[in-house]
Amino acid sequence: MADFSDSVSRKPLVVCLDIGTTYTGYAYSFIKKPDEITVRKWASEGTMLSPKAPSSVLLTPELSFHSFGYDAERKFSDLHAKKDHKLWNFVNGFKTVLNEKKKFDANVLNVLDIQNHYVPASAVFTGVIRYLKTDLMEQLTRRGYHLDESNIQFVVTVPAIWSEAAKQAMTDFSVMAGIQKENLMIAYEPEVAALHCVSMPASQVTVRTRDNIALMFKPGCSFLVLDLGGGTTDITVQKVEKDGKLSQLRKASGGNWGGNCVNNLFFQDLTKSLGQKVFQKFITTNAGDYFYLKNQFEVAKRNFRNDQEIVYLHIPSSLKKITKEVNGKKIGDIFNELETREKVCYSDGKLNYASEYFRKFFSSSVQSIVDEVKRVLKSKRCSEVEYILMVGGFSESEIVRDGIKMTFPEIRVINPEDASLSVLKGGVLFGHDPDTVRFRVCPQSYGMAMHEYFNPKKHDLSKSCKVGNTQFAVGCFEKIFEKDEIVEVGQKKTVRVAEDFTGQSEKMRTQNKEIEMYASAAKDPKLISDPGCTLQGIIVVSPPGGRWPEKMKGKITFKVTVTGINVSFMDRYTKSTSGGEIKFSEPKPQAGENPLNRSFRKDDL
């Protein structure tokens, strides 16, 4: 529920930035031909071109951005070879830092790099976004387009299951990277992926896939979107309305069960076999070989098939050398001594995995995904789901697809040919036409802190404070949206407020009012101190005409938009209005500040 402009002006160019846990890229198209989407290709090894680059960033010893993607990996490998790497900072998989459910302050959030250095998350995220934006402008210039950035609509995709603070952080990082807020939209990955699938040209899909997608998008049909990325599994359930727009039937759910779970289990298994000292030394002294092994496993993971008997992985000579130095044994002898030698063996410079053993690396993530889909489908609103749409890079795994198909034989599973780029391309289409979502489900109850005149029959004296001769009940939870409530795009809710600014300083009369905003897992909390209530951020309201009247009475209006919530204030007497915004970041009240300063008084008249 991040805050964005109420309406999106159509701009000549839309670009989508898809910053993934494992891979990152961008794509764009012009308003005259929105379906003709250009995906930026990245040079990997030799002449190979990839539609996405690794989510890898290299920062200098001074923590300034140096390089991204394959370039970052190559540069860090060169630094390693020259033994000049120790003060540099190489980070990959940095997106996972925003997956955490715990509270965080984006300004002091840190990411752990490959050498166990802590680096500011803001330096990493803003560096990547700024780099992608600069690269975009260079690519456009090479193609003969000379566009001002004000004519570009930027779309940044995020998991739907992210917290509001995480979505806010991505917004803030994008603005810090130089994208104007009025030119920025945050889009939910499962929603835009579905949009891409329905818009795929017939020439790019099989007849069967095309027919299934057409049936899935018939009015009245319900389908589950299973977005499987490197870091997260993101699940939403949509229903197609009569006008073709989508209505969310259930709040987004999921977890950290993406493709990286498979990678982590593989490296944990290899580390267990060779020893922690061996693998740690390998990573810290041979970065290039580590990247080679990592990318090799990524390919093997994506291409692994159920009928495959053996999976081969070439072992870098540096890992063999370190194993001999640390353990006093050759790598082949170590694997021959393990109980698993019949299923994992070493020969001719390669590790050979029996398929049944290799499949175990998938078991944890696949089981978690299946269990969550089961839980979602048990919901009353989702009982009529007819299709499961699988998108995202991890959905290309046959092991994952078969796990879903076998568990849900009565539901038709669709995995389009371009699944790994569905979010990227769908984000571009969303930027051209954001009015594709009609209803959303509120994941929590949201409300603002209010105070009221104290009533001993209604209020707890311990939850009150006295100002002059007036006793106020403080910390009241004024509910705006209720958990599981279905809200429609364009829907408005108002809260009547009052405030007495008599005798207040000129500073208080002219500055913005910052009201604390809370969320709760309960449907109807009464106090912001109730169990389960968490501080989400602040609602910033500007004084109408630049100055609050002495006796203020007015209303705050919350309007649901396709990308979030708009906030506005109107004075009851003058009818003058002012804008507002919601900042989903933890406010920092000044020491000794009057609690009434963080709330309005509720006006029931």
Side-chain angles (χ1 to χ4, degrees), residues 291-308:
F291 297 145
Y292 167 76
L293 181 59
K294 186 167 171 280
N295 292 331
Q296 191 185 170
F297 177 79
E298 186 68 34
V299 173
K301 177 186 73 176
R302 288 180 179 237
N303 294 334
F304 182 56
R305 300 290 180 261
N306 278 315
D307 59 356
Q308 194 169 336

Side-chain angles (χ1 to χ4, degrees), residues 21-23 96 99 227-234 255-267 294 297-299 301-302 358 361-366 369 391-397 400:
T21 301
T22 309
Y23 292 102
T96 57
N99 292 347
D227 181 12
L228 305 174
T232 59
T233 291
D234 216 2
N256 298 334
W257 314 313
N260 276 6
C261 289
V262 183
N263 301 44
N264 293 339
L265 286 176
F266 162 72
F267 281 111
K294 186 167 171 280
F297 177 79
E298 186 68 34
V299 173
K301 177 186 73 176
R302 288 180 179 237
F358 196 80
F361 299 139
F362 292 79
S363 59
S364 176
S365 56
V366 172
I369 294 166
V391 294
F394 195 32
S395 73
E396 294 183 343
S397 165
V400 181

Side-chain angles (χ1 to χ4, degrees), residues 37-83:
I37 299 173
T38 299
V39 179
R40 165 68 155 104
K41 299 292 180 66
W42 306 90
S44 53
E45 298 302 322
T47 58
M48 292 288 290
L49 291 177
S50 169
K52 286 186 178 181
S55 296
S56 302
V57 177
L58 183 63
L59 302 178
T60 68
E62 296 76 30
L63 297 179
S64 60
F65 179 86
H66 181 275
S67 48
F68 158 78
Y70 293 110
D71 289 339
E73 292 186 352
R74 282 189 282 263
K75 176 62 178 177
F76 192 61
S77 298
D78 291 344
L79 290 167
H80 248 286
K82 299 174 184 177
K83 308 298 182 185

Side-chain angles (χ1 to χ4, degrees), residues 61 76 79 83-89 113 115 117 284:
F76 192 61
L79 290 167
K83 308 298 182 185
D84 292 334
H85 63 284
K86 292 185 179 180
L87 296 179
W88 288 69
N89 305 276
D113 85 342
Q115 301 183 94
H117 300 156
T284 54

Side-chain angles (χ1 to χ4, degrees), residues 272-566:
K272 182 181 177 181
S273 300
L274 301 181
Q276 182 69 39
K277 288 183 179 179
V278 170
F279 208 74
Q280 192 59 43
K281 186 175 181 180
F282 170 62
I283 293 175
T284 54
T285 59
N286 294 272
D289 287 346
Y290 168 65
F291 297 145
Y292 167 76
L293 181 59
K294 186 167 171 280
N295 292 331
Q296 191 185 170
F297 177 79
E298 186 68 34
V299 173
K301 177 186 73 176
R302 288 180 179 237
N303 294 334
F304 182 56
R305 300 290 180 261
N306 278 315
D307 59 356
Q308 194 169 336
E309 294 184 1
I310 298 176
V311 177
Y312 303 98
L313 292 175
H314 291 272
I315 297 301
S317 57
S318 59
L319 181 55
K320 291 184 281 187
K321 181 180 178 183
I322 293 169
T323 300
K324 183 70 164 57
E325 290 174 354
V326 175
N327 294 326
K329 297 179 181 179
K330 292 182 179 180
I331 194 169
D333 294 335
I334 289 176
F335 278 96
N336 286 334
E337 294 172 1
L338 296 175
E339 293 181 0
T340 56
R341 58 184 174 274
E342 298 297 326
K343 299 174 182 177
V344 185
C345 64
Y346 175 85
S347 65
D348 299 327
K350 294 178 291 186
L351 270 181
N352 307 318
Y353 287 89
S355 61
E356 61 183 281
Y357 192 92
F358 196 80
R359 189 177 285 107
K360 289 182 179 179
F361 299 139
F362 292 79
S363 59
S364 176
S365 56
V366 172
Q367 190 60 53
S368 296
I369 294 166
V370 166
D371 289 345
E372 183 65 13
V373 173
K374 282 182 179 178
R375 193 175 71 85
V376 169
L377 293 178
K378 284 181 181 178
S379 168
K380 185 177 180 180
R381 289 179 182 170
C382 306
S383 60
E384 297 182 0
V385 165
E386 300 176 53
Y387 296 87
I388 294 177
L389 176 63
M390 296 182 64
V391 294
F394 195 32
S395 73
E396 294 183 343
S397 165
E398 182 178 293
I399 309 303
V400 181
R401 290 200 307 270
D402 285 356
I404 295 296
K405 289 178 180 179
M406 287 188 293
T407 308
F408 307 101
E410 73 285 0
I411 299 177
R412 191 167 295 179
V413 177
I414 302 174
N415 183 228
E417 286 77 359
D418 220 3
S420 63
L421 296 178
S422 288
V423 170
L424 186 60
K425 292 185 175 182
V428 175
L429 297 172
F430 178 79
H432 285 294
D433 183 17
D435 301 322
T436 52
V437 179
R438 186 175 175 188
F439 294 100
R440 281 208 177 95
V441 177
C442 201
Q444 303 180 86
S445 294
Y446 290 92
M448 54 191 284
M450 298 283 281
H451 58 271
E452 304 177 24
Y453 290 123
F454 182 77
N455 181 345
K457 295 181 180 180
K458 180 182 177 183
H459 301 124
D460 184 345
L461 185 62
S462 67
K463 306 292 185 182
S464 68
C465 73
K466 198 169 188 178
V467 179
N469 295 320
T470 307
Q471 192 85 19
F472 292 99
V474 298
C476 301
F477 189 108
E478 181 64 23
K479 185 172 62 178
I480 304 165
F481 297 101
E482 186 175 285
K483 181 183 178 182
D484 294 328
E485 177 183 358
I486 298 176
V487 293
E488 185 174 6
V489 173
Q491 182 178 342
K492 294 181 180 180
K493 293 199 175 184
T494 60
V495 177
R496 295 189 178 277
V497 297
E499 192 74 85
D500 188 351
F501 287 94
T502 304
Q504 298 278 11
S505 66
E506 187 63 19
K507 180 181 178 181
M508 292 291 291
R509 294 281 298 276
T510 56
Q511 70 181 8
N512 294 339
K513 185 79 171 178
E514 296 186 349
I515 313 301
E516 290 182 345
M517 186 172 186
Y518 287 79
S520 173
K523 281 186 174 289
D524 195 24
K526 301 301 181 185
L527 298 171
I528 61 175
S529 57
D530 284 352
C533 284
T534 56
L535 182 62
Q536 296 289 298
I538 52 177
I539 301 168
V540 182
V541 182
S542 303
R547 194 168 188 270
W548 296 107
E550 285 191 357
K551 302 287 186 180
M552 183 276 287
K553 283 182 178 287
K555 64 179 181 179
I556 301 177
T557 299
F558 300 86
K559 182 179 179 181
V560 179
T561 72
V562 71
T563 51
I565 301 175
N566 263 1

